[in-house]
Amino acid sequence: MATISNLDLNIVRDVANAEITVEFDINWSTFDQATNLQYLVSWTLIGDDTGFDNDLLGADDEIPMGLMPIVKLSSRGNASTHYSNADSPHTIAWADLDEDPQSWANPDEIRAVVTVTPLLPTTVTRESNLVEVTV
């Protein structure tokens, strides 16, 4: 199973927008390298509400990202693959980063969450039309 390392999030303000850059390495298992198993790779942003840094207690808040491209990657025989969207950062409204709208809860704490999902072979089953037979 692939693992993720060296995950880095960068947020740059551009007037009323935020340019989001995510970089990380996918470390492929021996099985991934031998089979060239494909993975769907996606990422999103969350507002970190762990309660450990004076945030409100509760679940993390998902940051609206709009349509995100989902990338298919495989090892191609390599031990690791570096992913970066630095050449085309994802742009969202700066206001969308305000996941703790209370004035005393600022600054907002944002994290990137990366998910790699293996595309495993699946079984396909289908039933035919119904035929009534009189015996």
Side-chain angles (χ1 to χ4, degrees):
M1 180 74 178
T3 60
I4 302 165
S5 63
N6 304 317
L7 176 54
D8 185 51
L9 168 66
N10 191 23
I11 301 173
V12 175
R13 188 169 190 164
D14 182 13
V15 189
N17 292 321
E19 292 187 354
I20 313 296
T21 303
V22 175
E23 293 192 51
F24 54 89
D25 294 320
I26 300 176
N27 305 299
W28 305 107
S29 70
T30 305
F31 178 81
D32 294 325
Q33 292 177 59
T35 62
N36 208 32
L37 178 65
Q38 284 191 322
Y39 283 77
L40 288 180
V41 180
S42 63
W43 59 273
T44 189
L45 297 179
I46 59 166
D48 186 2
D49 290 327
T50 59
F52 295 111
D53 52 1
N54 297 324
D55 278 339
L56 299 173
L57 292 176
D60 295 331
D61 301 313
E62 190 168 332
I63 305 295
M65 297 284 295
L67 292 175
M68 288 294 301
I70 296 179
V71 179
K72 282 185 184 178
L73 293 176
S74 61
S75 74
R76 298 183 185 184
N78 297 310
S80 67
T81 300
H82 183 74
Y83 172 89
S84 173
N85 72 326
D87 290 339
S88 57
H90 190 75
T91 302
I92 64 172
W94 185 261
D96 287 346
L97 297 177
D98 188 12
E99 51 89 30
D100 289 328
Q102 301 83 2
S103 61
W104 53 267
N106 283 311
D108 295 289
E109 301 86 6
I110 310 297
R111 293 187 191 274
V113 177
V114 175
T115 303
V116 293
T117 306
L119 293 173
L120 298 173
T122 59
T123 302
V124 177
T125 304
R126 184 170 180 176
E127 293 184 17
S128 71
N129 60 306
L130 176 70
V131 177
E132 291 184 11
V133 177
T134 306
V135 184

